[in-house]
Amino acid sequence: MKAPTAILSPILGLLGLCLCAAPALADPACEGPDSATTLAVQVTGMTSARGEVAITVYGSDPKRFLAPKGKLLRVRPKTATPATQTCFNLPGPGTYAVAVYHDANANEDFDRSILGMPTEGFGFSNDAPTKFGLPAFDAVRFSVKPGANLIRVKLRYVK
């Protein structure tokens, strides 16, 4: 006996229908407009499960990195320990950067001390160092290929 597709294909063809492989679809659990290019961001190192984790994705323009209104996408999932993970539908393959902070008090602001030092955990793609000020775009940028991509960011806290 022939396989069902061998029998049905000619019939469906006459009707203008096709038993074709479905195109890659966007992940409905991901943030952003539908896309076949996704980025999962896994954040670790939170000191508590309080609040939320602000995860921001920036595109390839270094001038827009950490600039007001420079982000492509941002999500604020509830903090989960030992890891908080979220997913983004990206416009396509290319160069991106990610900045993250643990908004422990969920006030949607990156809190700092009176001296300007961060009081909440933070991190960047590539675990870029931040000894004196913010990292340069070149230190945080990474390449995204078509399909599913994953990066991990470990938070650090100033003591």
Side-chain angles (χ1 to χ4, degrees), residues 58-62 65 94-99 124-128 135-144 151:
Y58 296 89
S60 61
D61 184 353
F65 177 61
T95 301
Y96 295 89
V98 171
F124 297 93
S125 42
N126 300 330
D127 286 327
F137 180 76
D138 284 346
V140 297
R141 70 181 176 161
F142 61 95
S143 293
V144 168
I151 65 164

Side-chain angles (χ1 to χ4, degrees), residues 60-126:
S60 61
D61 184 353
K63 292 177 186 167
R64 295 184 63 107
F65 177 61
L66 299 176
K69 300 185 182 183
K71 71 183 177 301
L72 285 178
L73 297 161
R74 176 179 293 146
V75 219
R76 296 175 175 277
K78 183 166 173 33
T79 304
T81 56
T84 300
Q85 185 165 316
T86 195
C87 180
F88 297 92
N89 284 317
L90 298 178
T95 301
Y96 295 89
V98 171
V100 178
Y101 73 93
H102 179 198
D103 189 7
N105 59 3
N107 68 349
E108 296 190 5
D109 194 20
F110 182 55
D111 297 330
R112 298 172 184 266
S113 71
I114 196 159
L115 300 174
M117 300 300 290
T119 59
E120 298 179 305
F122 62 93
F124 297 93
S125 42
N126 300 330

Side-chain angles (χ1 to χ4, degrees), residues 117-118 122-124 127-136 140 156 158:
M117 300 300 290
F122 62 93
F124 297 93
D127 286 327
T130 59
K131 291 188 187 256
F132 303 104
L134 299 169
V140 297
R156 59 182 75 106
V158 176

